[in-house]
Amino acid sequence: MSGQSGGADALLSVYDEALPSVYGYVVRRCADRAVAEDVTSETFLAAMDTVRRDASAVPSTPWLIGIARHKLADHWRRMQRTPEPVDELPETTDDDWDAHLDRMVAHHTLATLGPAHRAVLTLRYVDDLPVADCAQILDRTVGATEALLTRAKRAFRAAYPENEFQSSRRGGHV
């Protein structure tokens, strides 16, 4: 019983430091603050379950972010089954307007894609995970994930508003 309490105490000792990092990780990857809050809560609940079951678990911010990555993938899988509309993009306090605008357009474009496309693009290009890791998280084969990634990139390019502007600047050639 004392091992269970020790794991919970260890998690509580990193909670204040880890919470902003875990929430920041999640909110940058989903377009809805309420969802980000829910996924962050699910992350800490799963971490508490783990430290209660496994006395060797050592809570840390990177460990919690790993759990958050899986919880976010779970959320995307649920969304693929039951899609919900996205209300608005998260607010940022970035002073660099062009970078801010590019991020807003990219977030908006991602939000227009289906959950599977959003998930694979985020895992591959935002989290910079190898395709094999993306496949494992999404519970797909590597080949199926590569095909999904190809379709997702094509869908993102087609949905990205700047493509229309660029094609007209280049005389219609993309």
Side-chain angles (χ1 to χ4, degrees):
M1 196 77 160
S2 66
Q4 290 176 344
S5 173
D9 290 343
L11 180 60
L12 290 174
S13 72
V14 299
Y15 177 83
D16 288 335
E17 178 184 323
L19 179 61
S21 297
V22 172
Y23 177 74
Y25 172 85
V26 175
V27 78
R28 284 188 301 273
R29 284 156 180 82
C30 70
D32 186 334
R33 290 182 186 268
V35 170
E37 290 168 4
D38 289 346
V39 170
T40 301
S41 294
E42 290 173 20
T43 297
F44 282 95
L45 289 172
M48 185 59 80
D49 288 344
T50 299
V51 296
R52 286 182 175 159
R53 282 191 324 266
D54 181 4
S56 66
V58 180
S60 66
T61 300
W63 179 72
L64 288 163
I65 288 174
I67 294 171
R69 178 181 292 138
H70 288 280
K71 291 298 176 186
L72 196 52
D74 292 344
H75 166 73
W76 285 327
R77 275 191 223 98
R78 283 190 306 270
M79 288 297 295
Q80 191 171 3
R81 288 183 224 118
T82 55
E84 293 179 18
V86 175
D87 290 335
E88 57 185 75
L89 299 174
E91 295 177 25
T92 61
T93 58
D94 197 19
D95 291 334
D96 185 7
W97 176 247
D98 288 337
H100 175 70
L101 187 58
D102 286 344
R103 269 193 306 280
M104 284 176 47
V105 170
H107 276 282
H108 174 74
T109 303
L110 274 173
T112 66
L113 301 179
H117 287 174
R118 237 184 358 256
V120 74
L121 289 172
T122 301
L123 291 169
R124 178 67 185 101
Y125 296 108
V126 176
D127 292 347
D128 199 28
L129 293 177
V131 175
D133 290 355
C134 296
Q136 182 182 10
I137 290 170
L138 296 173
D139 197 25
R140 294 174 164 262
T141 65
V142 171
T145 303
E146 287 172 344
L148 176 64
L149 190 56
T150 299
R151 289 190 310 273
K153 288 189 290 189
R154 189 176 303 129
F156 184 88
R157 283 187 205 109
Y160 197 79
E162 191 174 38
N163 283 341
E164 294 171 17
F165 177 68
Q166 285 178 341
S167 67
S168 64
R169 278 195 311 195
R170 295 186 205 159
H173 302 310
V174 177

